[in-house]
């Protein structure tokens, strides 16, 4: 609010102290950022759950990774199936799925960004459930073969059982990550377009920090009273499957939180799809307060 024009404004009409006096454009940009913050927070848990797939590398090391008598897939390379799934799905979605969905939804991209985010959240729970089932089967197989105290020994179980969970993770990223970024681009002013990717990257950083904290808490809690930790270095003695079920439960709770955020956010208007004459103004020049005085 301008209280004293002579002190608050420069001769060219700009604020003499930008920390005390802001333009309407700057205020609207801050309001837009604060409005999408709850929606941004829904992506943290899904990224946290996907980051825990490093445990799958330990699982793969104990399983038969051969695809031919002379070649086996390196334990740390199973994430390639996630990348392959993302790549294939994006191409299939754009070329084959979107034209079909447009007929039913009327949305030019088939599904709205929020709907894709929601589908990704559900798929994250499904991927964690698949990981839990496979780990449960792997652990029972190791016990039946008498490998409880030999965690480094490769059992007679194909590591290809891990492919479904990695493929589901790829679908999760294809839906949720892309949906998130498109949502930010459509809801933020043009002057904040560079913030869209930065917000998503910030969510990844927060998820990594919380993921490390979650692993530490689970390890401490489950090893009390002399019990074997769920996340024991000996996977055959631990219960990694329980940890995956925990992540699945967190994903389902997060999906409920997402629905609440969508309800609170209300309908979102994609400015990029609106006619030019109906497009709301987006003040990109946030430095000025009023027009410079004429001489």
């Amino acid at each position: 609010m301008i209280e004293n024009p002579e002190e608050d404004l420069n001769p060219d009409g700009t604020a003499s102290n930008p920390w005390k006096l802001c333009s309407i454009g700057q205020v609207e940009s801050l309001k837009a950022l604060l409005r999408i913050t709850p929606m941004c927070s829904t992506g943290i848990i899904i990224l946290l759950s996907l980051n825990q797939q490093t445990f799958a590398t330990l699982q793969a090391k104990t399983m038969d990774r051969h695809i031919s008598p002379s070649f086996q897939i390196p334990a740390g390379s199973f994430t390639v199936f996630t990348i392959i799934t993302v790549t294939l799905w994006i191409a299939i979605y754009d070329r084959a799925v979107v034209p079909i969905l447009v007929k039913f939804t009327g949305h030019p991209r088939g599904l709205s960004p929020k709907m894709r985010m929601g589908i990704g959240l559900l798929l994250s729970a499904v991927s964690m459930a698949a990981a839990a089932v496979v780990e449960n089967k792997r652990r029972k197989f190791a016990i039946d073969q008498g490998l409880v105290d030999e965690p480094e020994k490769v059992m007679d179980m194909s590591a290809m059982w891990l492919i479904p969970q990695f493929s589901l993770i790829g679908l999760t990223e294809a839906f949720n990550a892309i949906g998130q970024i498109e949502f930010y681009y459509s809801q933020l002013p043009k002057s904040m377009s560079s913030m869209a990717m930065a917000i998503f990257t910030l969510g990844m950083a927060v998820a990594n920090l919380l993921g490390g904290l979650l692993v530490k808490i689970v390890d401490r809690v489950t090893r009390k009273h002399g019990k074997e930790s769920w996340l024991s270095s000996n996977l055959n003695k631990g219960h990694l499957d329980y940890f995956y079920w925990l992540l699945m439960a967190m994903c389902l709770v997060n999906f409920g939180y997402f629905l609440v955020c969508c309800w609170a956010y209300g309908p979102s208007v994609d400015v990029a799809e609106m006619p030019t004459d109906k497009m709301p103004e987006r003040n990109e020049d946030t430095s000025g307060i009023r027009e410079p005085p004429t001489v």
Side-chain angles (χ1 to χ4, degrees):
M1 180 177 179
I2 301 176
E3 296 179 352
N4 189 334
E6 295 182 358
E7 294 182 1
D8 295 340
L9 299 176
N10 293 321
D12 62 353
T14 58
S16 59
N17 187 352
W19 290 103
K20 293 180 62 178
L21 188 63
C22 301
S23 68
I24 294 177
Q26 290 172 320
V27 173
E28 291 300 320
S29 296
L30 178 60
K31 287 169 62 177
L33 181 61
L34 293 176
R35 188 170 181 237
I36 68 169
T37 298
M39 297 292 291
C40 300
S41 64
T42 63
I44 294 177
I45 295 298
I46 184 174
L47 291 170
L48 182 153
S49 63
L50 299 186
N51 290 340
Q52 303 308 317
Q53 288 306 304
T54 50
F55 289 110
T57 301
L58 301 178
Q59 293 173 264
K61 288 178 65 176
T62 68
M63 303 169 76
D64 181 13
R65 291 171 277 117
H66 285 87
I67 57 176
S68 72
S70 59
F71 178 77
Q72 66 176 358
I73 302 176
S77 297
F78 275 81
T79 53
V80 72
F81 293 104
T82 297
I83 299 171
I84 292 174
T85 303
V86 171
T87 305
L88 291 177
W89 175 250
I90 290 175
I92 294 172
Y93 181 80
D94 286 342
R95 297 298 178 182
V97 179
V98 169
I100 297 174
L101 289 177
V102 168
K103 298 178 182 179
F104 297 97
T105 65
H107 197 283
R109 297 171 191 166
L111 298 173
S112 66
K114 287 199 291 187
M115 189 171 291
R116 274 178 281 170
M117 289 168 64
I119 293 174
L121 293 176
L122 283 177
L123 285 174
S124 67
V126 175
S127 66
M128 292 299 102
V133 170
V134 171
E135 169 56 18
N136 181 266
K137 182 178 179 64
R138 188 209 64 80
R139 185 175 180 274
K140 287 183 177 179
F141 212 91
I143 294 174
D144 292 341
Q145 293 186 353
L147 302 177
V148 175
D149 296 315
E150 299 181 70
E152 300 297 328
K153 191 170 181 179
V154 177
M155 66 181 68
D156 187 22
M157 177 180 176
S158 176
M160 302 306 128
W161 280 93
L162 298 173
I163 293 179
Q165 70 190 62
F166 280 104
S167 297
L168 285 169
I169 289 171
L171 284 176
T172 298
E173 292 184 0
F175 275 102
N176 187 267
I178 296 175
Q180 276 193 66
I181 295 172
E182 285 191 9
F183 177 77
Y184 302 150
Y185 272 116
S186 66
Q187 300 303 304
L188 292 175
K190 288 183 179 179
S191 59
M192 299 179 67
S193 295
S194 59
M195 289 283 291
M197 196 64 196
I199 292 172
F200 180 75
T201 307
L202 177 62
M204 294 177 64
V206 174
N208 283 329
L209 291 174
L210 294 180
L213 180 62
L214 177 65
V215 168
K216 191 172 183 179
I217 291 175
V218 170
D219 182 58
R220 282 189 176 182
V221 171
T222 57
R223 68 167 54 202
K224 286 183 177 180
H225 309 297
K227 296 180 180 179
E228 192 75 30
S229 169
W230 287 3
L231 306 177
S232 172
S233 56
N234 184 345
L235 295 182
N236 300 334
K237 286 187 175 181
H239 269 289
L240 184 58
D241 52 337
Y242 291 174
F243 182 64
Y244 283 138
W245 286 122
L246 172 64
L247 291 175
M248 188 207 72
M250 293 174 63
C251 289
L252 290 177
V253 172
N254 186 50
F255 178 70
Y257 170 63
F258 170 77
L259 294 179
V260 173
C261 289
C262 287
W263 172 79
Y265 192 90
S268 56
V269 179
D270 192 339
V271 178
E273 298 171 6
M274 294 179 62
T276 306
D277 58 340
K278 295 183 179 180
M279 187 177 296
E281 292 186 9
R282 287 185 170 191
N283 188 354
E284 297 184 36
D285 181 11
T286 60
S287 60
I289 303 299
R290 62 178 175 81
E291 293 294 327
T294 57
V295 179

